[in-house]
Amino acid sequence: MDLSFYTTAQCHLCELAEALLVNTPTPQPILVNVVDIAQSEQLVAHYGTRIPVLRRSDTGNELSWPFTQDQLLSFLQ
């Protein structure tokens, strides 16, 4: 499973979500593709008010902020 992490520069909430993601232990490494939504008008329109957002490549499921470590672990299973 890979994740897309939708974010943008100078986003305090994105920094909090990134720290939670980095500090959450997982049974195996997960590839995280960081996507800056500012690079695409379409991404800004879709994610602009929801970032940070994690999206699973295998299921397409998304987890929008705010989320806890327990919610993150559940999302990753």
Side-chain angles (χ1 to χ4, degrees):
M1 167 191 43
D2 298 345
L3 293 177
S4 292
F5 178 54
Y6 294 96
T7 184
T8 196
Q10 299 181 1
C11 170
H12 176 67
L13 299 177
C14 299
E15 292 169 3
L16 294 174
E18 181 180 7
L20 185 61
L21 183 60
V22 168
N23 292 305
T24 297
T26 57
Q28 55 188 342
I30 297 173
L31 178 64
V32 178
N33 179 33
V34 178
V35 180
D36 185 344
I37 67 165
Q39 304 302 314
S40 163
E41 289 181 23
Q42 182 180 13
L43 290 176
V44 169
H46 188 72
Y47 292 108
T49 60
R50 297 177 43 214
I51 60 169
V53 175
L54 291 170
R55 183 175 194 278
R56 290 181 59 140
S57 61
D58 58 345
T59 64
N61 291 344
E62 294 182 343
L63 181 64
S64 299
W65 189 259
F67 50 84
T68 64
Q69 188 175 51
D70 287 340
Q71 291 169 318
L72 176 58
L73 286 169
S74 178
F75 175 73
L76 297 174
Q77 293 181 357

